[in-house]
């Protein structure tokens, strides 16, 4: 114990408390509720990939510290995947870095690239670790709020949160160091269009900004929406840090294998921070993820089709239960507006939901600086087995 009145937690972290995901998963366990809060699948990824991890462990591959940048097999597989899917070519030795999940990639990138006082422009609502990592780096976050586009018929594909490109442009100042982009976007499910990405790229080039783009949901887009990596746009290859993760794509969120692809200079910078965070992680899993990335396109197609059906099940169920629904074009989350249920405070709603309906969800307000802008929105995850989603929908219908 310290004898002074000084609080233990430093000022940079004081506002963050416990992450909402831990809080809500604990609530789900304590109340025996269906957990549609924290985004993790309730079934594991492909059996052969699980077996690949077992084989690596048994063969003694990765049981001791793997190389700092990641095992060569995985770096090669990441580069091959970027080339095959997007025509982006990265040198596995100089332009790929394996991290402890996307979370470490985000933290290391911000710690490496942001000076105290630099401004970081981020889309709001934002994934919660962005705010904490910007704060750890001593940066100032400048949120640009995604807003409902007003299609508001509750079921249409078009009912979505969109980025106002003028607001984005206006958020950039002389102190802006970088843009922090996320597409497909958690929690709204928005997938940025080519037009939006082109405008972001033009702004980055014009103002000479770095860009960090979190693309962990790259393989989770639905219907006509397709994922376009920001690094494929003109002028972006050399100024963009692209972040990916095996957690979402292969349904092994506990393995914590993520990665960065970028120019040699950017990768070197990010590695400088990363080496003092974990140094390395997930040895045997790195070999398994290398095999996963080489799965045929049919794996990704089947994964997308499965998640698309689950999206529709949950989105239709939420409409039937009386929510206004923003049917996502990507990710495995549905954002809803609770106002048609006569509610307006997402926090209060989510705290009461286990008792009222035996379901746990996430109040989107935690992802906002402008909390009032996020107050009526609540996020549900659909990366769960069909009977679980059906039971959740049945329970939620009792709210109406
Ligand atoms: N970015 C976004 C947008 C996420 O939703 C998540 C949660 N999976 C992460 C990063 C963190 O990914 P990981 O589990 O690989 O650290
Ligand atoms: N990315 C997951 C989500 O948004 C949770 C990750 C975590 O628990 N930190 O729900």
């Amino acid at each position: 114990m310290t004898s002074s009145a000084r609080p233990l937690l430093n000022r940079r972290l004081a506002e963050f408390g416990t992450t909402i995901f831990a809080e809500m998963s604990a609530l789900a366990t304590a109340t025996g509720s269906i957990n549609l809060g924290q985004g993790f699948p309730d079934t594991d990824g492909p059996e052969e990939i699980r077996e690949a991890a077992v084989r690596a462990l048994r063969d003694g591959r990765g049981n001791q510290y793997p190389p700092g940048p990641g095992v060569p097999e995985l770096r090669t597989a990441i580069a091959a995947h970027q080339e095959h899917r997007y025509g982006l070519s990265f040198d596995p030795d100089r332009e790929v870095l394996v991290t402890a999940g996307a979370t470490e990639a985000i933290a290391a990138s911000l710690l490496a690239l942001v000076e105290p006082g630099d401004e970081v422009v981020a889309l709001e609502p934002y994934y919660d670790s962005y705010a904490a990592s910007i704060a750890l780096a001593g940066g100032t976050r400048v949120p640009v709020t995604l807003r409902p586009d007003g299609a508001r018929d509750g079921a249409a594909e078009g009912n979505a949160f969109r980025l106002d490109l003028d607001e984005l442009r206006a958020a950039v100042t002389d102190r802006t160091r970088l843009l922090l982009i996320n597409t497909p976007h958690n929690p709204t499910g928005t997938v940025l269009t080519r037009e939006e990405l082109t405008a972001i790229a033009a702004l980055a080039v014009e103002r000479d900004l770095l860009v960090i783009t979190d693309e962990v949901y790259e393989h989770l887009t639905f219907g006509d929406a397709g994922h376009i990596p920001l690094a494929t746009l003109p002028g972006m290859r050399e100024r963009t840090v692209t972040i990916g993760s095996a957690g979402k794509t292969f349904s092994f969120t506990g393995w914590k294998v993520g990665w960065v692809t970028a120019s040699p200079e950017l990768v070197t910078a990010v590695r400088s921070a990363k080496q003092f965070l974990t140094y390395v992680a997930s040895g045997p899993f790195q070999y398994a993820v290398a095999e996963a990335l080489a799965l045929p396109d049919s794996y990704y197609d089947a994964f997308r089709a499965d998640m698309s059906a689950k999206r529709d099940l949950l989105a239709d169920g939420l409409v039937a239960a009386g929510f206004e629904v923003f049917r996502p074009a990507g990710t495995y989350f549905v954002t809803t507006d609770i106002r048609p249920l006569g509610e307006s405070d997402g926090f209060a709603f989510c705290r009461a939901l286990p008792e009222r309906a035996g379901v746990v969800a996430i109040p989107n307000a935690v992802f906002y600086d402008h909390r009032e802008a996020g107050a009526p929105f609540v996020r549900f995850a659909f990366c769960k087995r069909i009977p679980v989603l059906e039971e959740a929908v049945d329970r939620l219908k009792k709210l109406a």
Side-chain angles (χ1 to χ4, degrees), residues 21-244:
F21 304 115
E23 184 185 336
M24 286 302 172
S25 283
L27 185 62
T29 305
T31 59
S33 297
I34 297 177
N35 188 358
L36 303 187
Q38 191 176 29
F40 62 91
D42 62 354
T43 46
D44 287 346
E47 182 59 29
E48 70 265 37
I49 302 307
R50 228 165 31 165
E51 284 307 313
V54 172
R55 240 186 302 118
L57 215 130
R58 286 223 174 93
D59 296 348
R61 286 177 292 138
N63 292 332
Q64 309 304 331
Y65 297 131
V71 303
E73 288 84 346
L74 177 54
R75 282 184 280 117
T76 302
I78 291 165
H81 172 267
Q82 293 278 36
E83 175 84 53
H84 171 65
R85 303 293 303 198
Y86 312 120
L88 281 166
S89 120
F90 289 99
D91 176 351
D93 290 331
R94 299 163 68 230
E95 299 187 308
V96 179
L97 175 66
V98 176
T99 56
T103 305
E104 189 193 37
I106 293 160
S109 301
L110 289 162
L111 288 168
L113 301 172
V114 173
E115 290 285 0
D118 283 349
E119 291 179 355
V120 175
V121 174
L123 309 183
E124 174 186 78
Y126 45 74
Y127 181 57
D128 69 346
S129 87
Y130 299 172
S133 293
I134 293 167
L136 285 172
T140 303
R141 64 180 182 273
V142 178
V144 176
T145 309
L146 304 185
R147 295 181 204 284
D149 64 5
R152 302 192 96 76
D153 71 357
E157 296 282 337
N159 195 27
F161 285 79
R162 295 252 68 98
L163 171 63
D164 182 327
L165 293 166
D166 292 330
E167 265 185 59
L168 178 69
R169 188 163 270 283
V172 173
T173 73
D174 293 342
R175 288 186 303 280
T176 308
R177 171 64 163 164
L178 60 84
L179 307 178
L180 176 49
I181 304 296
N182 170 215
T183 184
H185 182 262
N186 178 9
T188 63
T190 294
V191 175
L192 295 177
T193 62
R194 182 169 293 281
E195 189 188 15
E196 288 162 336
L197 292 164
T198 302
I200 292 169
L203 179 62
V205 171
E206 178 191 320
R207 303 298 294 264
D208 194 20
L209 303 173
L210 298 172
V211 179
I212 298 175
T213 176
D214 177 345
E215 303 185 357
V216 300
Y217 298 100
E218 64 189 300
H219 291 292
L220 281 169
T221 59
F222 309 118
D224 294 338
H227 172 64
I228 303 171
L230 200 43
T232 60
L233 281 115
M236 297 309 284
R237 170 70 172 74
E238 59 275 20
R239 65 176 69 247
T240 302
V241 175
T242 303
I243 293 173

